[in-house]
PDB file of all heavy atoms in Angstrom:
ATOM      1  N   ILE A   1      91.512  83.819  93.853  1.00  0.00           N
ATOM      2  CA  ILE A   1      92.031  83.650  95.211  1.00  0.00           C
ATOM      3  C   ILE A   1      93.514  84.006  95.167  1.00  0.00           C
ATOM      4  O   ILE A   1      94.216  83.664  94.221  1.00  0.00           O
ATOM      5  CB  ILE A   1      91.782  82.221  95.729  1.00  0.00           C
ATOM      6  CG1 ILE A   1      92.185  82.083  97.191  1.00  0.00           C
ATOM      7  CG2 ILE A   1      92.470  81.179  94.880  1.00  0.00           C
ATOM      8  CD1 ILE A   1      91.641  80.834  97.848  1.00  0.00           C
ATOM      9  N   GLY A   2      93.943  84.758  96.163  1.00  0.00           N
ATOM     10  CA  GLY A   2      95.331  85.196  96.217  1.00  0.00           C
ATOM     11  C   GLY A   2      96.129  84.394  97.218  1.00  0.00           C
ATOM     12  O   GLY A   2      95.625  84.048  98.291  1.00  0.00           O
ATOM     13  N   ILE A   3      97.371  84.126  96.876  1.00  0.00           N
ATOM     14  CA  ILE A   3      98.288  83.379  97.733  1.00  0.00           C
ATOM     15  C   ILE A   3      99.528  84.253  97.968  1.00  0.00           C
ATOM     16  O   ILE A   3     100.220  84.608  97.007  1.00  0.00           O
ATOM     17  CB  ILE A   3      98.712  82.038  97.076  1.00  0.00           C
ATOM     18  CG1 ILE A   3      97.508  81.224  96.608  1.00  0.00           C
ATOM     19  CG2 ILE A   3      99.614  81.251  98.021  1.00  0.00           C
ATOM     20  CD1 ILE A   3      96.573  80.751  97.694  1.00  0.00           C
ATOM     21  N   PRO A   4      99.814  84.621  99.223  1.00  0.00           N
ATOM     22  CA  PRO A   4     101.045  85.386  99.480  1.00  0.00           C
ATOM     23  C   PRO A   4     102.272  84.574  99.034  1.00  0.00           C
ATOM     24  O   PRO A   4     102.406  83.395  99.385  1.00  0.00           O
ATOM     25  CB  PRO A   4     101.032  85.579 101.003  1.00  0.00           C
ATOM     26  CG  PRO A   4      99.584  85.455 101.382  1.00  0.00           C
ATOM     27  CD  PRO A   4      99.021  84.431 100.438  1.00  0.00           C
ATOM     28  N   ILE A   5     103.139  85.197  98.250  1.00  0.00           N
ATOM     29  CA  ILE A   5     104.209  84.413  97.628  1.00  0.00           C
ATOM     30  C   ILE A   5     105.233  83.888  98.621  1.00  0.00           C
ATOM     31  O   ILE A   5     105.904  82.907  98.346  1.00  0.00           O
ATOM     32  CB  ILE A   5     104.888  85.137  96.446  1.00  0.00           C
ATOM     33  CG1 ILE A   5     105.694  86.325  96.906  1.00  0.00           C
ATOM     34  CG2 ILE A   5     103.872  85.514  95.399  1.00  0.00           C
ATOM     35  CD1 ILE A   5     106.632  86.847  95.828  1.00  0.00           C
ATOM     36  N   GLY A   6     105.346  84.486  99.794  1.00  0.00           N
ATOM     37  CA  GLY A   6     106.261  83.960 100.802  1.00  0.00           C
ATOM     38  C   GLY A   6     105.886  82.569 101.274  1.00  0.00           C
ATOM     39  O   GLY A   6     106.736  81.820 101.750  1.00  0.00           O
ATOM     40  N   THR A   7     104.606  82.185 101.121  1.00  0.00           N
ATOM     41  CA  THR A   7     104.170  80.863 101.564  1.00  0.00           C
ATOM     42  C   THR A   7     104.676  79.751 100.642  1.00  0.00           C
ATOM     43  O   THR A   7     104.587  78.580 100.999  1.00  0.00           O
ATOM     44  CB  THR A   7     102.634  80.781 101.682  1.00  0.00           C
ATOM     45  OG1 THR A   7     102.048  81.078 100.422  1.00  0.00           O
ATOM     46  CG2 THR A   7     102.121  81.738 102.748  1.00  0.00           C
ATOM     47  N   PHE A   8     105.200  80.114  99.473  1.00  0.00           N
ATOM     48  CA  PHE A   8     105.816  79.118  98.593  1.00  0.00           C
ATOM     49  C   PHE A   8     107.237  78.783  99.034  1.00  0.00           C
ATOM     50  O   PHE A   8     107.774  77.746  98.659  1.00  0.00           O
ATOM     51  CB  PHE A   8     105.846  79.607  97.144  1.00  0.00           C
ATOM     52  CG  PHE A   8     104.490  79.742  96.531  1.00  0.00           C
ATOM     53  CD1 PHE A   8     103.978  80.996  96.233  1.00  0.00           C
ATOM     54  CD2 PHE A   8     103.719  78.631  96.251  1.00  0.00           C
ATOM     55  CE1 PHE A   8     102.722  81.137  95.664  1.00  0.00           C
ATOM     56  CE2 PHE A   8     102.457  78.759  95.682  1.00  0.00           C
ATOM     57  CZ  PHE A   8     101.961  80.019  95.394  1.00  0.00           C
ATOM     58  N   ALA A   9     107.861  79.680  99.809  1.00  0.00           N
ATOM     59  CA  ALA A   9     109.246  79.503 100.249  1.00  0.00           C
ATOM     60  C   ALA A   9     110.142  79.152  99.058  1.00  0.00           C
ATOM     61  O   ALA A   9     110.949  78.231  99.096  1.00  0.00           O
ATOM     62  CB  ALA A   9     109.345  78.437 101.348  1.00  0.00           C
ATOM     63  N   ASP A  10     109.969  79.919  97.977  1.00  0.00           N
ATOM     64  CA  ASP A  10     110.700  79.668  96.736  1.00  0.00           C
ATOM     65  C   ASP A  10     111.290  80.980  96.228  1.00  0.00           C
ATOM     66  O   ASP A  10     110.575  81.794  95.639  1.00  0.00           O
ATOM     67  CB  ASP A  10     109.750  79.075  95.693  1.00  0.00           C
ATOM     68  CG  ASP A  10     110.426  78.795  94.360  1.00  0.00           C
ATOM     69  OD1 ASP A  10     111.643  79.027  94.221  1.00  0.00           O
ATOM     70  OD2 ASP A  10     109.716  78.339  93.442  1.00  0.00           O
ATOM     71  N   PRO A  11     112.584  81.221  96.443  1.00  0.00           N
ATOM     72  CA  PRO A  11     113.195  82.462  95.973  1.00  0.00           C
ATOM     73  C   PRO A  11     113.133  82.651  94.464  1.00  0.00           C
ATOM     74  O   PRO A  11     113.316  83.761  93.968  1.00  0.00           O
ATOM     75  CB  PRO A  11     114.649  82.352  96.437  1.00  0.00           C
ATOM     76  CG  PRO A  11     114.675  81.284  97.465  1.00  0.00           C
ATOM     77  CD  PRO A  11     113.514  80.375  97.174  1.00  0.00           C
ATOM     78  N   ALA A  12     112.853  81.590  93.715  1.00  0.00           N
ATOM     79  CA  ALA A  12     112.768  81.693  92.258  1.00  0.00           C
ATOM     80  C   ALA A  12     111.351  82.032  91.782  1.00  0.00           C
ATOM     81  O   ALA A  12     111.126  82.127  90.573  1.00  0.00           O
ATOM     82  CB  ALA A  12     113.226  80.383  91.617  1.00  0.00           C
ATOM     83  N   TYR A  13     110.400  82.203  92.707  1.00  0.00           N
ATOM     84  CA  TYR A  13     109.036  82.537  92.289  1.00  0.00           C
ATOM     85  C   TYR A  13     109.077  83.856  91.502  1.00  0.00           C
ATOM     86  O   TYR A  13     109.839  84.756  91.838  1.00  0.00           O
ATOM     87  CB  TYR A  13     108.104  82.666  93.509  1.00  0.00           C
ATOM     88  CG  TYR A  13     106.656  82.603  93.114  1.00  0.00           C
ATOM     89  CD1 TYR A  13     106.004  81.385  93.012  1.00  0.00           C
ATOM     90  CD2 TYR A  13     105.954  83.755  92.787  1.00  0.00           C
ATOM     91  CE1 TYR A  13     104.679  81.310  92.607  1.00  0.00           C
ATOM     92  CE2 TYR A  13     104.636  83.690  92.384  1.00  0.00           C
ATOM     93  CZ  TYR A  13     103.999  82.466  92.300  1.00  0.00           C
ATOM     94  OH  TYR A  13     102.697  82.408  91.886  1.00  0.00           O
ATOM     95  N   PRO A  14     108.273  83.983  90.442  1.00  0.00           N
ATOM     96  CA  PRO A  14     108.325  85.191  89.610  1.00  0.00           C
ATOM     97  C   PRO A  14     108.042  86.495  90.381  1.00  0.00           C
ATOM     98  O   PRO A  14     107.347  86.486  91.387  1.00  0.00           O
ATOM     99  CB  PRO A  14     107.228  84.941  88.571  1.00  0.00           C
ATOM    100  CG  PRO A  14     107.045  83.461  88.539  1.00  0.00           C
ATOM    101  CD  PRO A  14     107.342  82.984  89.931  1.00  0.00           C
ATOM    102  N   ALA A  15     108.571  87.568  89.863  1.00  0.00           N
ATOM    103  CA  ALA A  15     108.414  88.900  90.457  1.00  0.00           C
ATOM    104  C   ALA A  15     107.026  89.468  90.155  1.00  0.00           C
ATOM    105  O   ALA A  15     106.333  89.009  89.240  1.00  0.00           O
ATOM    106  CB  ALA A  15     109.482  89.835  89.880  1.00  0.00           C
ATOM    107  N   PRO A  16     106.616  90.496  90.895  1.00  0.00           N
ATOM    108  CA  PRO A  16     105.328  91.140  90.624  1.00  0.00           C
ATOM    109  C   PRO A  16     105.264  91.747  89.223  1.00  0.00           C
ATOM    110  O   PRO A  16     106.286  92.150  88.659  1.00  0.00           O
ATOM    111  CB  PRO A  16     105.246  92.256  91.670  1.00  0.00           C
ATOM    112  CG  PRO A  16     106.213  91.869  92.731  1.00  0.00           C
ATOM    113  CD  PRO A  16     107.288  91.078  92.049  1.00  0.00           C
ATOM    114  N   VAL A  17     104.044  91.796  88.690  1.00  0.00           N
ATOM    115  CA  VAL A  17     103.810  92.440  87.397  1.00  0.00           C
ATOM    116  C   VAL A  17     103.257  93.853  87.578  1.00  0.00           C
ATOM    117  O   VAL A  17     103.216  94.629  86.635  1.00  0.00           O
ATOM    118  CB  VAL A  17     102.852  91.616  86.503  1.00  0.00           C
ATOM    119  CG1 VAL A  17     103.482  90.268  86.158  1.00  0.00           C
ATOM    120  CG2 VAL A  17     101.491  91.445  87.136  1.00  0.00           C
ATOM    121  N   ARG A  18     102.817  94.169  88.805  1.00  0.00           N
ATOM    122  CA  ARG A  18     102.363  95.527  89.103  1.00  0.00           C
ATOM    123  C   ARG A  18     102.545  95.822  90.584  1.00  0.00           C
ATOM    124  O   ARG A  18     102.611  94.921  91.409  1.00  0.00           O
ATOM    125  CB  ARG A  18     100.942  95.763  88.640  1.00  0.00           C
ATOM    126  CG  ARG A  18      99.853  95.159  89.428  1.00  0.00           C
ATOM    127  CD  ARG A  18      98.477  95.519  88.819  1.00  0.00           C
ATOM    128  NE  ARG A  18      97.588  94.401  88.848  1.00  0.00           N
ATOM    129  CZ  ARG A  18      97.471  93.465  87.935  1.00  0.00           C
ATOM    130  NH1 ARG A  18      98.213  93.502  86.854  1.00  0.00           N
ATOM    131  NH2 ARG A  18      96.628  92.480  88.072  1.00  0.00           N
ATOM    132  N   SER A  19     102.611  97.112  90.874  1.00  0.00           N
ATOM    133  CA  SER A  19     102.779  97.621  92.227  1.00  0.00           C
ATOM    134  C   SER A  19     101.669  98.635  92.479  1.00  0.00           C
ATOM    135  O   SER A  19     101.521  99.592  91.713  1.00  0.00           O
ATOM    136  CB  SER A  19     104.159  98.271  92.359  1.00  0.00           C
ATOM    137  OG  SER A  19     104.351  98.837  93.630  1.00  0.00           O
ATOM    138  N   VAL A  20     100.884  98.416  93.542  1.00  0.00           N
ATOM    139  CA  VAL A  20      99.744  99.288  93.831  1.00  0.00           C
ATOM    140  C   VAL A  20      99.902  99.953  95.196  1.00  0.00           C
ATOM    141  O   VAL A  20     100.679  99.518  96.024  1.00  0.00           O
ATOM    142  CB  VAL A  20      98.406  98.509  93.754  1.00  0.00           C
ATOM    143  CG1 VAL A  20      98.187  97.958  92.343  1.00  0.00           C
ATOM    144  CG2 VAL A  20      98.345  97.391  94.783  1.00  0.00           C
ATOM    145  N   TRP A  21      99.173 101.027  95.393  1.00  0.00           N
ATOM    146  CA  TRP A  21      99.182 101.829  96.619  1.00  0.00           C
ATOM    147  C   TRP A  21     100.579 102.360  96.925  1.00  0.00           C
ATOM    148  O   TRP A  21     101.018 102.417  98.063  1.00  0.00           O
ATOM    149  CB  TRP A  21      98.572 101.068  97.798  1.00  0.00           C
ATOM    150  CG  TRP A  21      97.085 101.006  97.651  1.00  0.00           C
ATOM    151  CD1 TRP A  21      96.366  99.972  97.119  1.00  0.00           C
ATOM    152  CD2 TRP A  21      96.160 102.036  97.959  1.00  0.00           C
ATOM    153  NE1 TRP A  21      95.033 100.307  97.078  1.00  0.00           N
ATOM    154  CE2 TRP A  21      94.880 101.577  97.596  1.00  0.00           C
ATOM    155  CE3 TRP A  21      96.290 103.316  98.492  1.00  0.00           C
ATOM    156  CZ2 TRP A  21      93.731 102.330  97.761  1.00  0.00           C
ATOM    157  CZ3 TRP A  21      95.146 104.080  98.665  1.00  0.00           C
ATOM    158  CH2 TRP A  21      93.885 103.585  98.300  1.00  0.00           C
ATOM    159  N   GLU A  22     101.249 102.831  95.871  1.00  0.00           N
ATOM    160  CA  GLU A  22     102.595 103.375  96.061  1.00  0.00           C
ATOM    161  C   GLU A  22     102.605 104.702  96.804  1.00  0.00           C
ATOM    162  O   GLU A  22     103.655 105.111  97.296  1.00  0.00           O
ATOM    163  CB  GLU A  22     103.317 103.478  94.718  1.00  0.00           C
ATOM    164  CG  GLU A  22     103.686 102.108  94.176  1.00  0.00           C
ATOM    165  CD  GLU A  22     104.640 102.161  93.000  1.00  0.00           C
ATOM    166  OE1 GLU A  22     104.807 103.230  92.368  1.00  0.00           O
ATOM    167  OE2 GLU A  22     105.242 101.104  92.707  1.00  0.00           O
ATOM    168  N   GLU A  23     101.448 105.338  96.957  1.00  0.00           N
ATOM    169  CA  GLU A  23     101.419 106.583  97.734  1.00  0.00           C
ATOM    170  C   GLU A  23     101.714 106.319  99.219  1.00  0.00           C
ATOM    171  O   GLU A  23     102.079 107.245  99.934  1.00  0.00           O
ATOM    172  CB  GLU A  23     100.106 107.334  97.555  1.00  0.00           C
ATOM    173  CG  GLU A  23      98.905 106.709  98.208  1.00  0.00           C
ATOM    174  CD  GLU A  23      97.626 107.519  97.989  1.00  0.00           C
ATOM    175  OE1 GLU A  23      97.564 108.322  97.049  1.00  0.00           O
ATOM    176  OE2 GLU A  23      96.704 107.343  98.778  1.00  0.00           O
ATOM    177  N   THR A  24     101.585 105.069  99.689  1.00  0.00           N
ATOM    178  CA  THR A  24     101.940 104.723 101.069  1.00  0.00           C
ATOM    179  C   THR A  24     103.139 103.772 101.120  1.00  0.00           C
ATOM    180  O   THR A  24     103.392 103.147 102.143  1.00  0.00           O
ATOM    181  CB  THR A  24     100.728 104.121 101.816  1.00  0.00           C
ATOM    182  OG1 THR A  24     100.137 103.083 101.038  1.00  0.00           O
ATOM    183  CG2 THR A  24      99.688 105.189 102.109  1.00  0.00           C
ATOM    184  N   LYS A  25     103.884 103.696 100.032  1.00  0.00           N
ATOM    185  CA  LYS A  25     105.093 102.865  99.962  1.00  0.00           C
ATOM    186  C   LYS A  25     106.182 103.496 100.833  1.00  0.00           C
ATOM    187  O   LYS A  25     106.344 104.713 100.863  1.00  0.00           O
ATOM    188  CB  LYS A  25     105.557 102.776  98.501  1.00  0.00           C
ATOM    189  CG  LYS A  25     106.838 102.018  98.278  1.00  0.00           C
ATOM    190  CD  LYS A  25     107.139 101.826  96.802  1.00  0.00           C
ATOM    191  CE  LYS A  25     107.535 103.066  96.080  1.00  0.00           C
ATOM    192  NZ  LYS A  25     108.852 103.586  96.380  1.00  0.00           N
ATOM    193  N   HIS A  26     106.925 102.673 101.546  1.00  0.00           N
ATOM    194  CA  HIS A  26     108.072 103.167 102.311  1.00  0.00           C
ATOM    195  C   HIS A  26     109.088 103.750 101.341  1.00  0.00           C
ATOM    196  O   HIS A  26     109.353 103.164 100.284  1.00  0.00           O
ATOM    197  CB  HIS A  26     108.702 102.025 103.103  1.00  0.00           C
ATOM    198  CG  HIS A  26     107.869 101.579 104.264  1.00  0.00           C
ATOM    199  ND1 HIS A  26     108.355 101.499 105.540  1.00  0.00           N
ATOM    200  CD2 HIS A  26     106.575 101.196 104.345  1.00  0.00           C
ATOM    201  CE1 HIS A  26     107.409 101.091 106.351  1.00  0.00           C
ATOM    202  NE2 HIS A  26     106.320 100.883 105.656  1.00  0.00           N
ATOM    203  N   GLY A  27     109.669 104.891 101.702  1.00  0.00           N
ATOM    204  CA  GLY A  27     110.580 105.601 100.816  1.00  0.00           C
ATOM    205  C   GLY A  27     111.805 104.813 100.408  1.00  0.00           C
ATOM    206  O   GLY A  27     112.367 105.037  99.340  1.00  0.00           O
TER     207      GLY A  27
END
């Protein structure tokens, strides 16, 4: 089950370990 990290309201939450669908990433 996935939890959007913004719902933790914790700026110290760890960063992503991977980035997917970068072909549609904003430049």
